[in-house]
Amino acid sequence: MMQVFFLSLLAGCSICWFNTVCYVLCIRNFQSNRALALALTISFNGVTAALYTLIANAINSDDDTLYPFLNAIVPLFTSGVVLLPILRQPPPQQLPPDAIRRDSHIFLFLNAVAVLTGLYLLLLNPLSYNSYRARLLLAGAILLLVLPLCLPGLVYAREWARRVISSSLSLNGSTFSLVDVDDLELHKELIGSEPAAINAPMTGNGNRSTFILRAKDGCCGNVMEKDQLTVLGEEHSVRLLVRRWDFWLYYLAYLCGGTIGLVYSNNLGQISQSLGYGTQTSAFVTLYSSCSFFGRLLAAGPDFLRDKIYFARTGWLAIALVPTPIAFILLATSGNETILRAGTGLIGLSSGFVFSAAVSVTSELFGPNSAGVNHNILITNIPIGSLLYGLLAALVYDAGAETTARQSLLGDATICMGRKCYQQTFIWWACISVVGLASSILLFLRTKPAYDRFERNRNRTDFS
């Protein structure tokens, strides 16, 4: 028991450190394509379970001890491979417009490869229970994962082609770009400016009390406008962050949205066992993992569509939380396999989108330079939610456990079979996720003026 506790403690500390390093590297080195880089980086976290299942089946599908072994070896090996390039990377610098457009093409290609990888693992993983097939499928998965490493060679080849035979292979006419070249400078201008239309009074302690709209009568108007953000990208210290109403709405939305999806995945083994599908646990875990992967990739959708359909990122966050209560309601009303698969997929998509979009939201609302610290403060809700929601599920599970012949076969262990084991938990989780959805909607309404203002300034910059 103590070994499991210390292993979990070390793994939790390790993944927090690892994720923070990845977020900071993306934010610092891809300033103009920040959201796309974050979505792509975070999305591959979602295929880990499917990939590990494939590796385990290729070695020995009957040996469950392979999973902790893979958790120990694969991250260590991968980190050792990428350590030297990370340490030797040049300092971040402002890229010229041509380089930004080139990066946009690269990210488009990487997202296409990521979608192909996710489909490959999702659709072909059920065929991997035969060791020979699993090895063939694993070779294909490794090829897809290594394929992006070919991009540097393609980029250099393209640059050589433009210089040497530009007349026949020139790509200068392409105007495709996922981001506006001047967005970063526009952020700085907005943060440093104070238009007359939104002059904000100073409070007694020197902090600016920001009101975008004129205060309305009544408590609802005060709640909507009190301490409201006026610009995107303004740096927030920890002290200022915890005093923001928007941060706590954001915290509650994440706690009752993304975190509850993570707790569901942690209980997925017991849930499938209690409903009589214990032999299909790996399939359900793979389904959740793959759907989480696609949800994380979808978080880049607003950046692909920004020139056609503009919507505040906090609005997309609210939309992403809609499937979670629907899934829990479906799971509470029925325990058949189809509903379990549908609910697992919906929760995976929703939580995956939240995990990926949250880093970009944090950097936009509270500043990119402080995103590493601020996002770690935000995700303190993960251990809190895991403890509270897991305890709730455990209490309901134990209350419905059968203490008959099954208990005598398993010694002191108690297992619960039937819908009663998690039905009440699903109802509670559905109510909690509705609270998260309501918080995200309120956050969207409060931050929408700041997003709209930024978009108007961006459009004026484009036309000028």
Side-chain angles (χ1 to χ4, degrees):
M1 182 66 181
M2 292 301 295
Q3 289 180 335
V4 174
F5 173 78
F6 282 113
L7 282 175
S8 300
L9 179 64
L10 289 173
C13 294
S14 175
I15 194 170
C16 286
W17 173 260
F18 188 85
N19 286 341
T20 302
V21 170
C22 291
Y23 300 157
V24 171
L25 286 173
C26 286
I27 291 171
R28 289 183 178 177
N29 292 279
F30 302 99
Q31 296 180 0
S32 299
N33 292 283
R34 182 190 309 147
L36 300 176
L38 287 169
L40 192 65
T41 302
I42 299 170
S43 65
F44 277 97
N45 290 343
V47 296
T48 304
L51 185 62
Y52 278 18
T53 300
L54 194 58
I55 298 174
N57 289 338
I59 300 173
N60 184 0
S61 59
D62 297 326
D63 188 3
D64 291 337
T65 60
L66 283 173
Y67 291 97
F69 177 76
L70 291 173
N71 271 329
I73 297 299
V74 175
L76 179 63
F77 173 77
T78 307
S79 301
V81 170
V82 302
L83 179 62
L84 188 60
I86 290 177
L87 294 177
R88 293 175 61 88
Q89 66 176 337
Q93 55 185 351
Q94 185 66 31
L95 297 176
D98 287 344
I100 294 177
R101 294 190 182 93
R102 180 198 65 195
D103 286 352
S104 297
H105 286 88
I106 292 175
F107 278 111
L108 182 63
F109 175 79
L110 289 174
N111 276 273
V113 173
V115 170
L116 181 61
T117 304
L119 290 173
Y120 181 91
L121 292 172
L122 175 63
L123 299 178
L124 299 182
N125 217 293
L127 304 177
S128 66
Y129 292 103
N130 178 281
S131 297
Y132 176 73
R133 290 180 182 175
R135 289 164 189 161
L136 291 177
L137 294 174
L138 178 60
I142 292 174
L143 179 63
L144 288 172
L145 291 172
V146 173
L147 184 60
L149 298 179
C150 301
L151 274 180
L154 295 176
V155 171
Y156 284 119
R158 178 177 178 269
E159 294 299 326
W160 177 84
R162 291 180 63 182
R163 290 194 304 268
V164 178
I165 47 176
S166 58
S167 59
S168 58
L169 295 177
S170 177
L171 298 177
N172 289 332
S174 175
T175 58
F176 171 77
S177 179
L178 298 180
V179 296
D180 191 293
V181 176
D182 298 322
D183 274 0
L184 185 62
E185 293 303 320
L186 183 57
H187 268 294
K188 296 176 181 178
E189 292 175 8
L190 288 177
I191 293 170
S193 63
E194 183 182 359
I198 56 168
N199 286 333
M202 299 294 291
T203 59
N205 57 8
N207 293 322
R208 188 170 297 279
S209 177
T210 55
F211 293 84
I212 293 182
L213 304 175
R214 201 182 71 169
K216 298 184 179 77
D217 295 334
C219 61
C220 293
N222 292 333
V223 169
M224 284 297 298
E225 296 179 3
K226 184 176 181 180
D227 197 31
Q228 196 172 7
L229 289 169
T230 58
V231 295
L232 300 180
E234 183 180 5
E235 296 297 333
H236 283 64
S237 63
V238 174
R239 182 178 180 182
L240 178 59
L241 181 76
V242 297
R243 295 171 59 186
R244 282 284 190 188
W245 284 39
D246 294 307
F247 170 75
W248 291 111
L249 286 173
Y250 183 32
Y251 192 94
L252 190 60
Y254 198 111
L255 174 66
C256 300
T259 298
I260 205 169
L262 181 63
V263 175
Y264 172 82
S265 70
N266 292 338
N267 285 267
L268 194 50
Q270 275 193 326
I271 291 171
S272 58
Q273 181 191 54
S274 65
L275 294 177
Y277 309 114
T279 58
Q280 302 182 47
T281 298
S282 295
F284 289 122
V285 172
T286 300
L287 176 63
Y288 176 88
S289 175
S290 301
C291 290
S292 175
F293 168 78
F294 287 112
R296 295 166 196 242
L297 273 183
L298 286 174
D303 297 275
F304 284 99
L305 301 174
R306 66 179 300 173
D307 291 330
K308 297 179 180 180
I309 303 174
Y310 170 72
F311 201 50
R313 200 180 300 275
T314 49
W316 289 108
L317 187 71
I319 293 173
L321 290 175
V322 172
T324 301
I326 295 175
F328 283 130
I329 291 172
L330 290 175
L331 291 169
T333 56
S334 176
N336 65 58
E337 183 180 352
T338 303
I339 293 298
L340 182 57
R341 288 183 179 275
T344 300
L346 287 174
I347 295 171
L349 282 171
S350 178
S351 58
F353 190 104
V354 172
F355 294 149
S356 183
V359 185
S360 297
V361 172
T362 302
S363 64
E364 288 177 352
L365 296 184
F366 309 115
N369 295 332
S370 308
V373 174
N374 292 343
H375 194 72
N376 277 332
I377 295 174
L378 171 72
I379 60 176
T380 55
N381 65 69
I382 292 180
I384 294 173
S386 297
L387 175 63
L388 296 178
Y389 305 149
L391 180 61
L392 172 63
L395 292 175
V396 175
Y397 183 90
D398 289 342
E402 296 176 353
T403 56
T404 55
R406 296 182 182 276
Q407 184 177 358
S408 62
L409 292 175
L410 298 174
D412 293 333
T414 303
I415 66 171
C416 180
M417 298 297 295
R419 287 180 54 200
K420 63 180 179 297
C421 305
Y422 277 93
Q423 185 177 28
Q424 188 176 353
T425 300
F426 290 147
I427 295 173
W428 276 106
W429 284 355
C431 295
I432 293 170
S433 60
V434 169
V435 174
L437 176 60
S439 300
S440 67
I441 293 174
L442 188 56
L443 175 67
F444 163 64
L445 295 176
R446 284 175 55 88
T447 57
K448 185 177 182 296
Y451 277 97
D452 289 344
R453 179 182 170 219
F454 175 80
E455 185 66 13
R456 286 194 301 269
N457 281 273
R458 188 177 76 91
N459 290 334
R460 281 200 296 268
T461 302
D462 289 342
F463 287 116
S464 61

